[in-house]
Amino acid sequence: MSNHEHEHCGCGCEHHEHDHKPMDKYMTAINQSTVNIDDAAVTAAVQEIIDKHAAENNTPEVQQFLLNCVDLTTLATEDSESSVARFVQKVNDFDNNYPQYKNVAAICVYSNFAAVVRGTLEVSGVDVAVCSACFPSSQAHIETKIAETALAVADGADEVDIVLNVGYFKDEAYEELCDEIAEIKHVVGDRPLKVILETGLLKSAEAIRRASILSMYSGCDFIKTSTGKIYPGASLEAAYVMCQCIKEYFIQHGRMVGFKASGGIRTTEDAVKYYTIVKEVLGEKWLNNKYFRIGASSLANSLFQSFTGTDAKPF
């Protein structure tokens, strides 16, 4: 890492140019973690939380809150300027037709559509989010990833979602992995950077913990479960491990990192379960859309139908 990039690592650690073992600082951060990585224990803990608390959280108030945490997403091969503009118009119309309810948190699109969303969006309080850096594979030169992200920011992106370089992760090339995230964070600036771990590919609690720590160490603002593209999407077990890592990181370094669940979350019941994990593991401080998001396309309508008792599909 360059000295400038170290400013963004957020880990509170000291970096020395004479450090001849750059891997040590990454392994030290991982080895210091006490987050439980026993998969069976994680599954049992999740089941206990859901059994005890999910039902009590499935209320109209929570459902309305969850709508305001949705990153309303379109990431289709057939997306076009006109289709994205129509997608955004639904958010504008919701604001006009249902002013008594809070809108979604953000509209999430491919990076090349940031300008379309910015130009069409008429609602204050809804961010323009983009998936960048060669989403969903993260396979490209770092210069390409930087350029794509810089262009999206210039086009009006408020938030940037990128995918962890899983190739580096698998090879345990942690310095390269962390440098890449830090360089992209430098381009993103003070806008939220969300790092997608692709938990359905990582699978184990141990790997998810490692990826969570490295991403936060590199200065990201959110850790996110999945792309929802090739591998299995979000799971409650992955969410639990990630939230435990966020909690531990906050205790160690005093910096709040957000959590985003995405990939296959379609029903109100599913969304409430993720809310329940965040509430029970991280607590009330994380229960706002600055620190909790759900990436979804059809979920927004399910939530709206739940708290209004109607069949309307505003999104």
Side-chain angles (χ1 to χ4, degrees):
M1 289 190 187
S2 70
N3 289 338
H4 185 85
E5 287 153 8
H6 283 157
E7 294 173 10
H8 298 281
C9 83
C11 69
C13 60
E14 294 183 5
H15 301 273
H16 303 282
E17 290 181 1
H18 61 263
D19 183 358
H20 298 297
K21 295 181 179 179
M23 286 288 285
D24 285 358
K25 58 195 174 194
Y26 306 104
M27 290 310 302
T28 297
I30 292 165
N31 292 336
Q32 284 177 345
S33 175
T34 60
V35 170
N36 195 329
I37 53 173
D38 180 273
D39 290 309
V42 168
T43 299
V46 167
Q47 194 61 54
E48 182 179 3
I49 289 172
I50 297 304
D51 288 347
K52 282 187 177 180
H53 301 290
E56 71 192 36
N57 290 328
N58 199 0
T59 66
E61 291 76 20
V62 170
Q63 293 158 7
Q64 288 182 49
F65 165 79
L66 286 167
L67 179 63
N68 190 228
C69 294
V70 167
D71 285 356
L72 192 68
T73 303
T74 179
L75 295 167
T77 302
E78 65 266 30
D79 283 347
S80 67
E81 290 191 5
S82 59
S83 73
V84 170
R86 289 193 298 272
F87 187 76
V88 176
Q89 190 57 45
K90 292 179 181 180
V91 174
N92 293 337
D93 292 343
F94 182 86
D95 218 51
N96 293 324
N97 296 334
Y98 305 101
Q100 69 271 39
Y101 301 123
K102 289 184 178 180
N103 215 314
V104 295
I107 297 170
C108 187
V109 296
Y110 282 115
S111 60
N112 51 305
F113 294 117
V116 176
V117 180
R118 176 58 67 206
T120 310
L121 186 63
E122 300 167 355
V123 181
S124 61
V126 178
D127 281 350
V128 179
V130 297
C131 287
S132 185
C134 301
F135 174 95
S137 69
S138 193
Q139 295 289 9
H141 295 92
I142 181 59
E143 293 86 356
T144 303
K145 297 179 181 183
I146 293 293
E148 180 187 357
T149 304
L151 287 166
V153 169
D155 283 345
D158 299 305
E159 308 176 4
V160 175
D161 293 29
I162 66 169
V163 181
L164 180 87
N165 191 318
V166 180
Y168 282 152
F169 181 80
K170 291 283 189 179
D171 282 353
E172 298 185 5
Y174 296 148
E175 185 166 32
E176 291 83 352
L177 182 151
C178 291
D179 278 357
E180 186 169 285
I181 295 172
E183 287 184 45
I184 296 171
K185 175 59 182 171
H186 176 52
V187 174
V188 172
D190 58 4
R191 301 165 187 82
L193 175 67
K194 311 184 195 108
V195 174
I196 304 164
L197 308 185
E198 203 67 293
T199 55
L201 170 60
L202 302 183
K203 295 180 182 175
S204 71
E206 185 278 327
I208 293 167
R209 181 181 74 173
R210 210 165 3 118
S212 297
I213 292 168
L214 291 168
S215 298
M216 292 187 291
Y217 185 97
S218 305
C220 75
D221 303 286
F222 271 78
I223 49 176
K224 173 179 169 183
T225 58
S226 321
T227 63
K229 289 297 180 185
I230 301 169
Y231 304 98
S235 73
L236 294 170
E237 289 76 16
Y240 177 82
V241 174
M242 291 165 69
C243 287
Q244 291 284 0
C245 290
I246 290 169
K247 180 179 181 179
E248 181 181 69
Y249 184 85
F250 176 68
I251 291 169
Q252 290 174 345
H253 304 299
R255 185 170 76 91
M256 289 177 69
V257 174
F259 168 75
K260 179 175 173 180
S262 61
I265 304 169
R266 298 182 177 90
T267 69
T268 296
E269 184 180 8
D270 286 341
V272 168
K273 289 178 180 178
Y274 285 96
Y275 169 93
T276 301
I277 294 293
V278 171
K279 182 180 179 181
E280 293 303 315
V281 176
L282 290 171
E284 298 284 343
K285 285 180 71 173
W286 268 262
L287 293 180
N288 58 75
N289 68 13
K290 186 178 179 182
Y291 295 108
F292 176 44
R293 297 286 181 85
I294 299 179
S297 52
S298 58
L299 174 63
N301 283 330
S302 296
L303 290 166
F304 183 80
Q305 290 169 355
S306 294
F307 66 72
T308 61
T310 67
D311 293 327
K313 294 182 178 180
F315 300 103

